[in-house]
Amino acid sequence: MVSSSSHLNWPPIAGVISDLDGVLYRGDAAIVDAIEAFERWQAAGLPFCFVTNNSTHTPEDVACKLATFGLAIGPNQVVTSAIAAAEIARANYPDAKRVYVIGAASLSNAVAAVGLDISDQEPEIVVMGLDRHITHEKMRIAVEAILNGAAFIGTNPDLLLPTANGFEPGAGAMITAVAAATQAKPLIVGKPEPHMIETALSRLGTMRSATLMIGDQIATDIQAGKRAGLPTVLVTTGVPPREDPALARPDFIVSSLAEIEVPPALVGTPRQRRA
């Protein structure tokens, strides 16, 4: 692992995949130097795509939020765990019709968009994401469905989410509670799993070895990047890293995205299809 320094030996960079919470903003507060870095990369023609474990926002929501910070992007530059969860539910369980959803409207809408019915009556799949209005009754319905054989899908394992003033419980805290009650292992679609990274790579069309994965959490962002075969960058503006010798370490650590050097000669060169 390379330590933080102004003289890091950066690989050729043809594209960037990045987390959002804790990297570009904390809650509703922008991380100014990160926004400025993406603005520079965008002006230089460097393609990038965002991947977020947050299932409470649509790609359009993310684009609008970044626009308020001065960074203009299209919804196709955002991959959310809600969309990934819905697509995997549809693909893995083609005969299923009824899904019980615990999460924000964006998650329910994503599930409905792939042709599945949202129902608490004998659901065949339970999909859980972050629900800031979680209740005991919602958890009871999920537990009962899973104990009766429903498949269990979780958007992401994040236990903590960074906010402007600290942290709040993430979807992983809620998913863990239902998993403990049912002794069922959920299928997690968000980071650290590589599903969203693969989707982002397919959109960028860049080589793995030349596409940076940027994130603020070793347990999710960095592991997802490693599993997808990307060079990884940990930026220390989000969730404080926890030492875990079992986890793959980031290739680079920076305190600001301003430290990432993208030589002009490497920007805008013909993109090679990913290996």
Side-chain angles (χ1 to χ4, degrees):
M1 179 179 64
V2 181
S3 61
S4 179
S5 166
S6 60
H7 303 289
L8 294 177
N9 185 24
W10 295 103
I13 301 171
V16 169
I17 297 173
S18 177
D19 181 42
L20 288 162
D21 294 331
V23 177
L24 273 82
Y25 50 75
R26 289 176 62 101
D28 292 325
I31 298 174
V32 177
D33 54 350
I35 297 294
E36 292 175 345
F38 273 95
E39 288 177 326
R40 288 194 301 273
W41 299 341
Q42 186 178 61
L46 183 71
F48 53 80
C49 188
F50 297 108
V51 289
T52 175
N53 274 0
N54 191 331
S55 63
T56 66
H57 298 298
T58 65
E60 290 78 10
D61 292 335
V62 173
C64 287
K65 182 170 186 173
L66 292 180
T68 67
F69 300 146
L71 180 61
I73 66 165
N76 65 326
Q77 290 176 271
V78 182
V79 181
T80 73
S81 63
I83 291 174
E87 291 177 347
I88 287 178
R90 178 76 285 172
N92 286 15
Y93 307 98
D95 297 327
K97 296 180 180 179
R98 297 177 305 280
V99 180
Y100 182 61
V101 176
I102 294 179
S106 54
L107 181 56
S108 295
N109 292 340
V111 170
V114 298
L116 292 165
D117 297 329
I118 310 299
S119 176
D120 60 2
Q121 302 299 311
E122 299 182 350
E124 298 152 284
I125 306 172
V126 171
V127 176
M128 284 191 70
L130 178 63
D131 187 341
R132 292 188 171 92
H133 302 285
I134 190 78
T135 64
H136 184 272
E137 178 62 9
K138 289 181 179 180
M139 295 179 69
R140 184 197 67 77
I141 293 171
V143 167
E144 182 177 17
I146 293 167
L147 290 177
N148 286 333
F152 186 12
I153 297 176
T155 58
N156 66 84
D158 295 354
L159 298 175
L160 284 177
L161 294 179
T163 68
N165 300 312
F167 301 94
E168 66 171 312
M174 303 170 192
I175 293 168
T176 298
V178 172
T182 60
Q183 293 298 292
K185 183 178 181 180
L187 188 164
I188 299 295
V189 301
K191 299 167 292 182
E193 301 306 321
H195 304 296
M196 293 192 297
I197 312 302
E198 296 293 346
T199 298
L201 273 172
S202 69
R203 294 185 185 183
L204 293 177
T206 51
M207 291 183 63
R208 295 175 191 272
S209 61
T211 305
L212 293 184
M213 174 63 206
I214 301 173
D216 68 308
Q217 297 195 53
I218 293 176
T220 53
D221 305 317
I222 300 306
Q223 301 314 298
K226 287 288 187 180
R227 293 177 186 182
L230 276 57
T232 57
V233 181
L234 178 72
V235 59
T236 59
T237 51
V239 176
R242 297 178 180 179
E243 291 298 325
D244 186 339
L247 297 178
R249 306 297 295 170
D251 297 296
F252 304 94
I253 298 178
V254 297
S255 59
S256 167
L257 296 193
E259 297 177 47
I260 299 178
E261 299 175 7
V262 181
L266 297 177
V267 176
T269 56
R271 286 180 274 166
Q272 301 178 44
R273 296 304 300 174
R274 61 191 179 98

